[in-house]
Amino acid sequence: MLVHLQGAWNPWLGRLTLSQIPYHSPIVLGAFAFALLAAAPIVGLMTYYQKWGYLIREWITTLDHKKIGVMYIIIGLVMLLRGFIDGIMIRTQQLLADGPRSAAHLQAVHGYLPPFHFDQIYSSHGTIMIIFAVTVVLTGFQNIIVPLQIGARDMAFPYLNAVSLWLTAAGAALVMISLFIGDFSHAGWVGIVPLTELPYSPGVGVDYWDWALQLSSLGTTLGALNLITTIIMMRAPGMRWFRMPFFTWATLSTQTIGLTAFPVLGVALALLSCDRYLGTHFYTAGLGGNLMLYTDLFWIWGHPEVYFIILPAWGIMSEVIPTFSEKALFGYTVMVAATLSIAGLSWAVWLHHFFTMGAGPGVNLVFSVSTMLVGIPTGVKVFNWSLTLYRGRLRFETPMLWAIGALFLLLVGGLTGMMLAIPAINYTVHNSVFVVAHFHTMFLVSVFGIFAGLMYWFPKVFGFRLDERSGRRFFTFFSLGTVFVFAAMYTLGLMGMTRRLDYLYNPHWQALLIIQEFGIFLYCVSVFYFCKMIYVSIRDRAKEAHGQDVWRTSRTLEWMTLTPVPFYNFAVIPVVHGRDAWAMRRDSGLTATSPGDYEDINLPNNTIVPAMLGALAFGFGFGMVWRIWWLAGLSLLGIIGLVILRSFADDRGFTLTAATVRRMERNHEDTGIVTDHISPPVAELALFQ
Amino acid sequence: MSRTAHRLIGPEEPLWAPHHPEADPVSLHTLGFWLYMMSDALIFAALFAAYAVLDHPYNAAGGPQISDVVHPVAAFIQTVIIFTSVFAYSLAMVGLKAGNRAFVIGGLVAAVLLGAAFLGLELRDFAVLIAEGATPDRSGLLSVFFVLVATHGIHMVFGILWMLVMIVQVAMKGFTTAVVTRLLNLRIFWMFQASIWVCVFVFVYLNGAYR
């Protein structure tokens, strides 16, 4: 049954040999050196200050939704940086390899990247940015904020939440390790068939891509059912459906998409795995395979995934804009309807990703109209945000800057999207960088939303504000970079430049390519200001420390908690009297957090099991990629065994007595910050005592 | 400010809900598990879609057609067995209502044995086909046939594994909240697999044999 592969294989290491380490490539060596340089100080400092125990006790084993969310965001930001570096490399290669007289560097004929390496870079750029950067950061926000916004102490299934995180981390780790051991997929982030099939991709690249996506997709599905259950079951008394903060609505729509779309990706990838490991013929170019089957299955997930990425960003904008306009969100009910209808339409538009694949005019027409229908609720949203701004008392603090930037980008991205929804135009610009510029504009809406959320909620989670001065510069350079890169890219697309080219044949594109590269330079400057912002903020954290509601005009329940948020969130669950519960309390002069009468709080113990499951999932993925059957088999058995073992442990959790809660809350009233640091013990440590 | 969207909170209205009951763990897990089953249903939906695409004489690539490989009578026996297994599980649920451990364990053991019989028939069917040269790597049609049926089979294997764990847990722990929740969710899982088998039986075996 197993496919017989040509080339070296041994039972212990599978296909792994020393020659698979790409030490002959100066670029990969440089990346390795960079990773070492970045990791060495962190590891050194952790060891010097003896923080490994703290890391394991407080973070790796945690079931606290806020810490899990923070770890999601850290993974996402690291992957964002990696994807950004890939982006720089793509743009630079295209700038250097323009025209037959372009110079050759390193091992390339044109530019500095050989085609196979270039193909891996654009594949990993797309995969990382979509699956491991934007999706992961947004999941992190939803993890942190949703339980706080609905007045809950934790997620519905805290343990499952940690499992989702570590599965995602295992997927991200597989992508990262592919840089140094073996290679990554060269078939685009969509995995074009039959290029991903064994005869055309005999290496391990496609397998890395396949298993990394599979693991993170499993994590996202489990996370989706967790968030949906949390929103349905864990709301505070009085928080009826139409009193929910808008971000919670956005999360509910998003996760409904996640729950229904990601299993389809799982199937599309699993069938590809069957082709690659068992020799079946689902997507092969002969023997009864069907190439379009993959394309359809992939995009049945792929288009909902687009809204999975954009809806939470719109949710963040819908929190930030009212706060800094000092007004309630305009047309809340209509916004909810618009979000739900976008989620609904997301399942009905997938074919517009391949209008040119010969489905026929009738089918194309249906999908063209359904795609244009998405424009209606989206337009409603844009008008509602504009009308929220209208006659508001606007304050242009950094989160607001990002939110308004996102609004402008949405206009550009949305209008070009409507153009692409017309099959006739689509045929003309198909596979051109016009399309690339369009979806980058839309993803940048998401990225702007992410940075709005980062600036907006950072003080809530960590207790100090991010530095406003470098934050503004970060925003300015990032926005300017966006204009230079994508204005030029739209133009290039209309001039006929197609995507995924490692060599450009037209020297007349040079001027626009230089403009793009200048935009990339501005992005690099903005990354510098981002790092400076983080550094300055941490340095001056005592100066920027503040109380529960840093913006003073925020409206939703998360701002009612102490800052930084204690691990039990709410000492006593609040009663909700209407929409914008916190604004209501503030306007009624009821901002004091002290309920007077405290109670015992029961929360789950920390546990190492989810992190172990993640490690085993990584082992399974790595074993499958390199066909090290014993490793994959043992890891799978380990996962099953660990899940069964854990089901026998009756964890009664950790009880924080009313007296302790009172002490922590009183302490906060006196000093303004949460000083008494207590967190649940690690359950497994009891085994060793 | 242009308008205030909300009223003010009156002095008589409660601000806090001390001793607010936590969500009932059984309902919480039941809802969560239903949502999980929805994602599982989507897996099968995608596989059935793949089957519909590849269920064409063209996709047999000159190899055996679907009518050559399916045996609806044998599959009917499997159908009877899997529903008897669900019936046995339902009897265990009756035992759960009565709080009778032996009854529950008896029902679970019967369900496990019937499930294993189902899998045994399926494996024998596969072995015969493979011996005849109708292997999954023969054609796209056979690929999707094997993978669809085997995916259901793998679900059955995990269901049986889960039941074995539950037999031990009922014996060891009795009817704790966690054990009862798991038994209820396992019931959903087991019945769902039987319903999926009905779809497999109709779309693959009946439709394939008599078209």
Side-chain angles (χ1 to χ4, degrees), chain A residues 157 229 233 260 279-281 287-288 290 326-327 393 560 573 575 577 585 587-588 593 595 599 647-648 650, chain B residues 1-2 5-7 9 13-19 28 35 38-39 42 53 59 137 139-140 143 169 173 182:
Chain A
F157 310 114
T229 315
M233 301 288 284
T260 47
T280 55
H281 294 284
L287 283 168
N290 190 324
E326 309 195 4
K327 271 174 74 184
R393 200 176 293 144
M560 200 176 126
I573 301 295
V575 174
H577 301 92
R585 286 191 181 226
D587 293 350
S588 315
T593 49
E599 61 194 6
S647 78
F648 277 88
D650 283 323
Chain B
M1 200 179 289
S2 50
H6 49 251
R7 61 183 183 84
I9 302 170
E13 290 180 87
L15 287 176
W16 308 99
H19 311 291
L28 206 62
L35 291 171
M38 183 168 166
S39 75
L42 259 296
V53 169
N59 297 94
D137 52 4
S139 70
S143 302
Q169 290 198 347
K173 302 183 178 199
R182 285 170 197 151

Side-chain angles (χ1 to χ4, degrees), chain A residues 47-66:
Chain A
T47 312
Y48 183 77
Y49 290 108
Q50 298 178 347
K51 287 289 184 189
W52 290 108
Y54 162 80
L55 184 73
I56 292 170
R57 278 192 314 273
E58 304 271 333
W59 290 88
I60 308 285
T61 58
T62 192
L63 299 188
D64 178 349
H65 69 98
K66 298 173 291 294

Side-chain angles (χ1 to χ4, degrees), chain A residues 271-293:
Chain A
L271 298 187
L272 179 67
S273 309
C274 286
D275 278 5
R276 288 183 62 86
Y277 289 87
L278 305 174
T280 55
H281 294 284
F282 285 101
Y283 314 133
T284 51
L287 283 168
N290 190 324
L291 313 181
M292 287 312 292
L293 175 62

Side-chain angles (χ1 to χ4, degrees), chain A residues 608-677:
Chain A
I608 192 76
V609 176
M612 285 167 73
L613 289 176
L616 287 168
F618 176 80
F620 174 74
F622 193 78
M624 289 305 285
V625 167
W626 291 99
R627 297 172 196 241
I628 312 171
W629 305 126
W630 64 265
L631 178 62
L634 281 184
S635 302
L636 194 60
L637 281 180
I639 290 171
I640 295 170
L642 210 50
V643 169
I644 292 177
L645 265 184
R646 160 87 189 176
S647 78
F648 277 88
D650 283 323
D651 186 4
R652 302 215 172 278
F654 164 69
T655 304
L656 200 65
T657 59
T660 318
V661 178
R662 180 184 294 116
R663 197 178 72 235
M664 286 174 75
E665 298 270 319
R666 292 279 158 82
N667 212 347
H668 174 267
E669 275 171 29
D670 297 341
T671 59
I673 41 169
V674 182
T675 46
D676 221 355
H677 195 81

Side-chain angles (χ1 to χ4, degrees), chain A residues 17-36:
Chain A
T17 55
L18 206 56
S19 61
Q20 296 285 356
I21 316 276
Y23 47 79
H24 49 271
S25 162
I27 295 166
V28 175
L29 272 187
F32 189 62
F34 176 75
L36 273 187

